[in-house]
Amino acid sequence: MAEIAALRLSIVHVDSGRAFRGGQQALLTLARGLRARGHAQRIVAPPGSALIQRAREEGFDAMAAGNILALRRSLRGFPIVHAHSGRAQTLAYLASLGLPATRVVTRHVAFEPRWPRIHALKYSATCDGIIAVSKAVRKVLVEAGVPEEKIAVIPGGVDLPREIATPEQRCAARRKYNLAASDFVVGHLGAFSHEKGQDVAIAAAAILRDRLPSLRMILAGEGSPPAPAPRGAGISVPGGATVLLPGFIADREEFFAALDLFIMPSRSEGWGLAAVEALARGIPVLASKTGGLAEIVEAGETGWLVPPGDAQALAEAIAHAESDPKSLRIMTFEASKRSHRFSSDGMAELTELFYLTKNKT
């Protein structure tokens, strides 16, 4: 292991998104871990990308590339090209044709491809190695026809906090959201989309109007809310329960500190980085039993799993969690302890090893 640590690799990370979401967060976390291990890196994304701005703020070599020629210039001198989305992989392949490059791609999504044969051809012919962020993602790739030997499962990691929030910090965080100590606060963090299931969460809150009047739900993230409401304000959903829509959250520590329970009602989820963040901060997680979420949450130990898209089941699980504060306290300890298997250090080490096994240069 010491010999591996002594090797200095040169990696260029290629991303295709302009917004800063889970994939970009995962890329930046990996880059931090690889930097700590002594590797040279460059981050390339489209002009106007939020990732470019954040990467530069953290001292990374970050470049904007608006076309294939610009991307090709950014790859020179970096023998390992790591794409972080399917579109980024296509662009990186085209830009690196003829260059002595080892091509790696991270696959974050677990939905079945529309054209499996084309999917298999793309990932078989355009890259040397594929990182699946969960066993669920790996299964989809293999079933589409991608060679198993090309794939490694490396779960998305997070920077583990030194300690979980104190009671004083929790109270202060709740004050920022105008929440009372007696409220049962449930939170979700993610860009608004059909796959993330925020509409299911709102339906569950409505079901619990009379049964759980202390329920307060924070649905944080970019995008349009699934019901008409002014951004940044609480809304009364059908049934009268209060749902807060604060939009993009800059202070994630404060957000998690305000919660009793984190929910992830996704219809499809390749991994679920926000769920890992919650566990690392001692917040039990109630999630859909789909994709990578079923690999993150240990039902009965660190949280609960319910069928995706089932608002009634989600509501029942929220009510059960609220009714059993002793189990919640036990899960707080277990969540924090068991989240160490998803550390950013571990992710960086496994990715480094994967680069070395696939490196052609």
Side-chain angles (χ1 to χ4, degrees), residues 7 15 127 205 219 222 235 245 305 327 339:
L7 295 173
D15 188 61
C127 59
L219 301 180
E222 294 181 333
I235 62 171
L245 301 171
L305 293 168
S327 291
S339 68

Side-chain angles (χ1 to χ4, degrees), residues 69-118:
L69 289 178
L71 179 56
R72 184 178 180 85
R73 288 193 294 270
S74 74
L75 303 182
R76 295 189 182 278
F78 290 86
I80 298 175
V81 179
H82 187 163
H84 290 264
S85 70
R87 175 171 170 72
Q89 170 59 22
T90 300
L91 297 173
Y93 172 72
L94 294 173
S96 63
L97 282 172
L99 298 179
T102 298
R103 304 181 188 93
V104 173
V105 61
T106 294
R107 181 74 175 170
H108 292 278
V109 296
F111 56 78
E112 295 182 5
R114 185 177 300 178
W115 297 289
R117 291 185 180 179
I118 295 176

Side-chain angles (χ1 to χ4, degrees), residues 113 116 119-120 130 132 135-153:
H119 195 75
I130 306 155
K135 294 176 184 176
V137 172
R138 181 184 184 276
K139 181 175 182 290
V140 170
L141 289 168
V142 171
E143 289 179 348
V146 178
E148 294 187 49
E149 62 272 15
K150 280 200 165 192
I151 308 168
V153 176

